[in-house]
Amino acid sequence: MEPFRVKQETIEQQFNNKNNNAEESSKRKKKIRSEAPVIDLDCSSDEEDSFNQKRSRVSDDLVLPAGFLDPLPPKPSCRNFWKAGDFDEGSDANWDTSPGGMDHVRVHPRFLHSNATSHKWVLGAFAELLDNSLDECCNGATYVNIDMLRNKKDGNRMLLIEDNGGGMDPDKMRQCMSLGYSLKSKVADTIGQYGNGFKTSSMRLGADVIVFSQCAAKDGKRSTQSIGLLSYTFLRGTGKEDIVVPMLDYVKDGGEWKKIIRSSPGDWNMNLEAVTCWSPFVNEADLLKQFDHMKGQGTRIIIYNLWEDDQGQLELDFDADEEDIQIRGVNRDEKNIQMAQKYPNSRHFLTYRHSLRSYASILYLRIPPGFRMILRGKDVQHHNIVNDMMMTTEVTYRPQPGVDKLSNDSSIVAVVTMGFVKDAKSHIDVQGYNVYHKNRLIKPFWRLWNSTGSDGRGVIGVLEANFVEPAHDKQGFERTIVLSRLEMRLIQMQKTYWRTYCHKIGYAPRVNRNNLDDKETSPDFSRETSRKKKTASTPPVSLSKKHQKPGPSLQKSTPFTGNLLDDDPQTTSNLRHTNNSFYKEKSANTFTPNDLSSNMQIVTHTQSKFQNVFEDASTPDLNQLLEENRQLKEKLEMSDEDILGDLLRDLERERNRRKALEAQIEELKGKCEKLNKEQEIAIDTFAAQRERRDIEEEALRKKLKEATTVIQDLVERVKHLELEKVKRRNWSAV
C-alpha cells in the first residue's frame, strides 16, 4: 500500500466550455420557427443536467442578440485579502472511494486562504521567502533579488523574488507546491522546517504565484526546468473542489530542452493551456524566456494579483520610496518616519514595521560571506543593532536543564548584549529585545517591561535563543515554561541595568538600592556569575588566625617586628560603623562581657596596611609613627573592665545623642505640619481670590459686551438720522 497518493485531476471543463461556446455561437444567427414570439426552455428530466442539453425555441421573426447564449462570466474575485475567503461554491464534488478501497482527505482551495491568514503582518511573509533563498547558500546561492514587475496582460504590478541557488527538479517542485513537505528539518543551519512557508507567504502577498526553477545537472541527473502555477484565481474561476496545480517540466537532452510527459501529450497540453490562460504569460515561448534570467540554476518566483486594502489600494506601496517596498495601513506612522530622520540610531525601531528594507537589514543576526540581498536594484545593508548601543554590557543566561524536556547540554546558553540606544539622551521611547532563533529574527524589539512611567526607556538588547521553539509564522514563540523563564529573566536584566545607569543619560537616579543588590537565587543564572558576585560582596576586613585566641576574653596583639600600625581613615570608618551596628544590636540590659570581648576581637585585629616602614630610616615622620605605635600598644594592654567602661560611656553618649536627634526630628515635624497648614490656607485663599476675580472678570465682560451693543445701536441710529437729514435736504431742494 502506498503511504501517500497525490490525486491528479485533468482540466477538461475548460475545453467543454469552449466547445459549448462554439456550438452556441453558430446557432445565434439562425431563426427558429415558432408561432408565438416567446422563449420556451424545455429540459428533459431523463437527460444529464447540463447546459449543453437545453434547447431553445423562438419565433421566426426573433433573432437572438450576439452573446445571448454565452455562459455567464465567473464572479470577479475579491482583491481584499481578509475578505477573499468569503465565498460559497456548490458542493458537487465526487466523493467516490479512491483506488485501493480507502478514503482520502481532500483539500479545498479555500484552505490556501485560511492557511495564509497565519501571517497577520505582510512583511512576515517576505521573511519566509527570504529564508528560502538564504537556505540555498549551501547550494551556491550568492544573492536574492526582490523587485517589482508589470503584468503585460493587464498592466498591474507584480512581485519578483529570485535567487541563484540550486533550484528544484520536478520532484522537489511538486514537494514545494504540496503541504507539509520539508527536507530542511534534517539539514543543519537551515531556517525552514515545517514545509508550509512558501504557500502561506505567497498567498498572503497575492492571489496567484508562478514559479520557474532550473536545476543544474549533478549526481548523474540531467539538467531540468520546471514551471508551477499555484493560482487561487484559477481554482475559484474554474470551480475546483481540490487544489490543482498545473505544472510543466523540461529536461535538457544534448543541447535542447525537451518536454517531460508524465501521463499523455493531451494532459501536458492541458497544463500548458491552463498556465498560459491564468498567468501573466501568453504562450510557451513567453514562459521559457523567464529561464534566460538564470545562469544554469536558480528559482524565479512571480506573485501577481496582489492584495488590496479596504480603500482599493495595493497593500504594498511601491511609490513612497523607489528603493524600498513599504506597506500601508496602521503599521505606517508618519510621526515615526520623521523621528527616524532626526534620530538615526533609532531608525530601525521606528521604521521596521512598514519598511521592507529596514526590516530585512536586521532580519538575520549573521549574513554568510558574499551573500547579497538586493531590493529594487540596491543592496540591503546588513545591520546589527549592537552598533546602535552605548554603555553595553553582556549577561550570560543559562536555562534550567530538564524544563520542557530541555537538553542537559551545558552549551545551551544565551549571551544577552544590552545597552542604551545612542539616542537615549533625547528620552525617546525606544526599548525592547531583538530575539533571534537560529540566526533568524523572531521577535523584533520585544517589549517586556511595561512600566507606567519612563522606566526602561532607551534600553535595547540582542540575544540568540535556540532553546525556545518559534511559532509556525516565525513571528513569535510557542508558550512554554522555558519561554516564561526567559521573559522573567530579561525583565529583571532590564530593570537592573536601567536602575544602575539611568542617571547617566539624564533621568533621576532610582533610590531603591535593594533591587540593585538582589541575590540571584534562580538556578537559571550561571554559577560563575554567582561566584563573582559573592567575591565582590566579601567585606575587606579579615582576621588572622595567629592573632586570635579561643574563648570570650580579649586577646592582646602579638609584638610587632618590623611592621608598624597606623590609623587608616577607611579602616577607622569601617570600625566605627561596626561599633555602631554592635551598639544598636545590643541594647540596654543585654550587654555581656563576652559580647564585648568578641566585638573587640574584630576591632583590634582589623588594622593597618602600612608595613616595612623601618626599611626607610630617612622618613621625616618616624617619631610620630613611633608615638602612635606606643599609644596603640597601650590601648591593646588595657584590661577588659576598662574597655567595658569605655564602651558603656560611649553607649550612653550615643543614647543621649539619639534622644537629642529624636527631639529635633519631632520639632521639625511640628514645623512641617505648621507650614503645611499655612500652605493649605494660602492655597484656599488664593483659590477664593481667583474665583472672585473670575466672577468679576465675567461680570466686566458682560458689561463690556452690553456697552459695545449700545454703542453699535447708537452708531446705527446716528447713521440713520444723517441719512434722513440728507433725504430731507434733497427733498426740500427739489
Side-chain angles (χ1 to χ4, degrees):
M1 181 178 63
E2 296 181 0
F4 182 81
R5 179 181 178 87
V6 179
K7 181 178 181 295
Q8 298 181 353
E9 181 173 344
T10 58
I11 310 168
E12 298 178 352
Q13 184 176 353
Q14 297 178 25
F15 295 97
N16 292 336
N17 291 338
K18 291 186 177 181
N19 295 332
N20 296 340
N21 296 340
E23 294 176 1
E24 296 298 338
S25 298
S26 62
K27 297 178 181 180
R28 291 170 189 163
K29 299 180 181 180
K30 293 183 179 180
K31 297 180 180 180
I32 305 175
R33 297 179 179 178
S34 177
E35 295 183 356
V38 296
I39 300 175
D40 183 15
L41 298 179
D42 185 13
C43 180
S44 175
S45 59
D46 298 333
E47 303 289 339
E48 291 183 9
D49 187 16
S50 64
F51 180 76
N52 294 329
Q53 295 169 341
K54 296 181 179 180
R55 297 292 182 266
S56 301
R57 294 192 298 272
V58 297
S59 65
D60 294 337
D61 299 331
L62 183 62
V63 179
L64 298 179
F68 182 79
L69 295 179
D70 286 350
L72 292 175
K75 293 184 295 184
S77 59
C78 180
R79 297 293 298 276
N80 187 298
F81 173 74
W82 299 107
K83 299 177 182 178
D86 301 337
F87 71 95
D88 290 329
E89 298 289 349
S91 181
D92 298 331
N94 184 10
W95 291 94
D96 293 339
T97 305
S98 61
M102 298 183 68
D103 290 336
H104 65 281
V105 176
R106 304 179 68 175
V107 181
H108 194 274
R110 191 184 291 109
F111 178 75
L112 288 176
H113 175 267
S114 60
N115 192 36
T117 56
S118 61
H119 287 292
K120 307 298 181 185
W121 185 37
V122 178
L123 296 187
F126 276 102
E128 291 277 6
L129 299 175
L130 290 174
D131 292 344
N132 292 338
S133 297
L134 189 70
D135 287 341
E136 286 297 310
C137 285
C138 59
N139 294 321
T142 59
Y143 73 88
V144 56
N145 179 37
I146 303 175
D147 209 340
M148 187 268 293
L149 302 176
R150 286 285 184 178
N151 191 332
K152 295 180 180 179
K153 288 184 176 180
D154 54 19
N156 290 330
R157 296 180 176 183
M158 305 186 298
L159 195 61
L160 167 69
I161 301 97
E162 62 177 351
D163 62 65
N164 61 342
M168 295 178 285
D169 59 22
D171 292 335
K172 290 184 178 179
M173 173 70 85
R174 281 156 176 77
Q175 292 179 359
C176 174
M177 294 294 184
S178 301
L179 297 171
Y181 283 92
S182 177
L183 300 177
K184 296 181 182 179
S185 59
K186 301 178 182 178
V187 180
D189 300 327
T190 56
I191 302 171
Q193 56 181 328
Y194 297 115
N196 200 34
F198 169 75
K199 277 73 67 176
T200 59
S201 57
S202 58
M203 291 293 102
R204 178 62 185 88
L205 295 169
D208 310 299
V209 57
I210 185 169
V211 183
F212 303 87
S213 190
Q214 186 175 30
C215 186
K218 60 180 179 180
D219 299 333
K221 297 181 179 180
R222 292 180 292 177
S223 180
T224 59
Q225 292 178 348
S226 297
I227 303 173
L229 176 67
L230 183 61
S231 174
Y232 191 55
T233 306
F234 159 68
L235 296 173
R236 290 189 58 179
T238 56
K240 298 298 181 186
E241 293 290 337
D242 281 315
I243 298 178
V244 180
V245 181
M247 290 190 183
L248 304 173
D249 301 315
Y250 302 86
V251 63
K252 194 168 187 179
D253 188 4
E256 297 180 356
W257 292 99
K258 295 185 178 181
K259 303 175 183 178
I260 299 178
I261 300 177
R262 289 179 171 261
S263 55
S264 66
D267 292 341
W268 200 94
N269 291 329
M270 281 190 293
N271 279 274
L272 176 61
E273 181 71 17
V275 172
T276 55
C277 179
W278 297 93
S279 75
F281 306 99
V282 295
N283 50 41
E284 183 180 5
D286 197 13
L287 290 169
L288 294 177
K289 285 182 181 179
Q290 298 301 311
F291 293 103
D292 296 339
H293 299 278
M294 306 176 192
K295 297 181 180 180
Q297 64 179 22
T299 301
R300 185 176 175 89
I301 300 172
I302 298 177
I303 303 173
Y304 56 102
N305 287 333
L306 303 178
W307 297 116
E308 298 176 349
D309 57 17
D310 294 332
Q311 286 73 36
Q313 294 181 319
L314 293 180
E315 282 186 317
L316 302 178
D317 187 357
F318 298 95
D319 299 326
D321 189 345
E322 294 181 354
E323 297 177 347
D324 194 6
I325 297 177
Q326 301 182 0
I327 59 177
R328 297 183 174 92
V330 296
N331 291 295
R332 183 184 179 90
D333 191 341
E334 296 297 334
K335 182 179 178 182
N336 286 346
I337 296 175
Q338 296 176 2
M339 290 179 63
Q341 298 176 355
K342 185 178 180 180
Y343 304 108
N345 295 296
S346 305
R347 176 170 54 88
H348 292 86
F349 174 85
L350 298 169
T351 60
Y352 82 92
R353 294 178 181 87
H354 73 274
S355 170
L356 178 59
R357 181 171 293 276
S358 177
Y359 178 56
S361 64
I362 61 174
L363 183 59
Y364 302 105
L365 190 61
R366 299 169 297 275
I367 293 292
F371 187 80
R372 301 168 57 198
M373 289 190 292
I374 306 171
L375 178 57
R376 302 192 73 178
K378 183 178 179 180
D379 283 25
V380 175
Q381 298 298 326
H382 177 254
H383 184 77
N384 192 332
I385 66 168
V386 175
N387 299 328
D388 296 333
M389 298 181 191
M390 62 181 180
M391 303 164 58
T392 58
T393 183
E394 289 187 354
V395 182
T396 301
Y397 171 78
R398 192 184 306 277
Q400 182 182 5
V403 178
D404 277 7
K405 299 181 180 179
L406 194 65
S407 173
N408 293 325
D409 187 1
S410 59
S411 63
I412 301 180
V413 296
V415 178
V416 182
T417 304
M418 59 192 306
F420 279 111
V421 68
K422 292 179 181 178
D423 299 321
K425 292 185 178 180
S426 300
H427 295 183
I428 60 176
D429 191 9
V430 175
Q431 62 172 301
Y433 292 93
N434 271 16
V435 186
Y436 292 81
H437 176 84
K438 293 184 179 180
N439 193 42
R440 162 75 140 78
L441 179 61
I442 303 298
K443 296 288 288 185
F445 296 100
W446 191 16
R447 184 165 183 164
L448 293 171
W449 183 21
N450 296 306
S451 61
T452 55
S454 61
D455 288 12
R457 283 189 178 181
V459 180
I460 57 177
V462 180
L463 68 150
E464 185 175 16
N466 295 333
F467 48 83
V468 288
E469 287 297 323
H472 278 240
D473 61 351
K474 297 187 180 70
Q475 296 299 316
F477 293 103
E478 298 290 345
R479 297 301 307 180
T480 59
I481 298 176
V482 178
L483 181 63
S484 300
R485 286 177 175 270
L486 176 62
E487 289 179 351
M488 291 187 293
R489 182 56 62 198
L490 291 177
I491 293 173
Q492 185 176 2
M493 290 178 187
Q494 186 178 1
K495 288 182 178 180
T496 302
Y497 182 87
W498 164 262
R499 291 167 180 167
T500 305
Y501 300 107
C502 65
H503 62 281
K504 295 186 177 181
I505 60 170
Y507 291 98
R510 277 21 181 189
V511 297
N512 187 8
R513 306 300 299 175
N514 295 330
N515 293 328
L516 300 180
D517 299 325
D518 288 339
K519 295 182 179 179
E520 304 297 345
T521 58
S522 172
D524 297 341
F525 243 84
S526 62
R527 298 179 181 178
E528 181 179 358
T529 306
S530 301
R531 285 197 298 270
K532 289 181 180 179
K533 289 188 176 184
K534 191 177 296 183
T535 305
S537 61
T538 304
V541 178
S542 60
L543 300 180
S544 177
K545 292 185 178 179
K546 66 180 182 179
H547 294 301
Q548 298 182 10
K549 180 179 179 181
S553 61
L554 180 64
Q555 174 64 32
K556 297 180 181 180
S557 175
T558 57
F560 294 97
T561 57
N563 294 335
L564 190 66
L565 292 175
D566 192 9
D567 288 335
D568 180 27
Q570 183 65 33
T571 306
T572 305
S573 176
N574 291 338
L575 293 177
R576 188 178 297 113
H577 175 72
T578 304
N579 290 335
N580 291 338
S581 301
F582 180 77
Y583 297 151
K584 292 179 182 179
E585 292 176 1
K586 297 293 183 178
S587 57
N589 302 325
T590 60
F591 276 101
T592 62
N594 293 340
D595 296 331
L596 293 173
S597 300
S598 175
N599 185 61
M600 286 305 299
Q601 286 183 359
I602 299 176
V603 175
T604 56
H605 292 292
T606 54
Q607 301 295 330
S608 158
K609 62 183 179 180
F610 297 109
Q611 296 181 355
N612 300 326
V613 179
F614 286 125
E615 295 178 1
D616 188 3
S618 63
T619 303
D621 297 335
L622 181 60
N623 294 330
Q624 181 181 357
L625 294 175
L626 291 173
E627 179 63 22
E628 292 177 354
N629 188 25
R630 185 185 61 77
Q631 293 177 2
L632 288 174
K633 286 183 179 180
E634 290 179 356
K635 290 180 180 180
L636 292 174
E637 292 175 356
M638 293 175 62
S639 61
D640 294 348
E641 290 77 6
D642 295 336
I643 295 173
L644 179 60
D646 292 341
L647 291 176
L648 291 175
R649 284 192 295 272
D650 292 341
L651 177 61
E652 187 65 25
R653 186 165 53 252
E654 291 295 332
R655 285 179 178 173
N656 295 334
R657 184 182 175 187
R658 185 189 65 185
K659 291 180 180 179
L661 291 175
E662 288 178 352
Q664 292 179 6
I665 291 173
E666 292 296 330
E667 183 180 358
L668 292 175
K669 284 183 178 180
K671 291 182 179 180
C672 288
E673 292 178 357
K674 184 177 179 181
L675 292 174
N676 289 335
K677 290 181 180 179
E678 292 177 355
Q679 183 180 9
E680 291 177 358
I681 293 173
I683 291 173
D684 294 339
T685 304
F686 177 76
Q689 291 178 354
R690 186 172 182 177
E691 185 177 358
R692 286 196 300 271
R693 186 191 66 184
D694 293 340
I695 295 174
E696 292 175 358
E697 183 179 357
E698 185 65 25
L700 291 174
R701 287 179 183 276
K702 289 182 179 179
K703 290 181 180 180
L704 178 62
K705 187 175 181 180
E706 293 174 356
T708 303
T709 304
V710 172
I711 291 172
Q712 290 178 353
D713 292 341
L714 292 174
V715 171
E716 292 293 333
R717 291 178 63 183
V718 169
K719 290 182 179 179
H720 182 68
L721 291 174
E722 289 179 352
L723 183 61
E724 288 182 352
K725 185 177 180 181
V726 171
K727 288 181 178 180
R728 287 193 192 120
R729 187 181 302 166
N730 295 334
W731 183 77
S732 60
V734 173

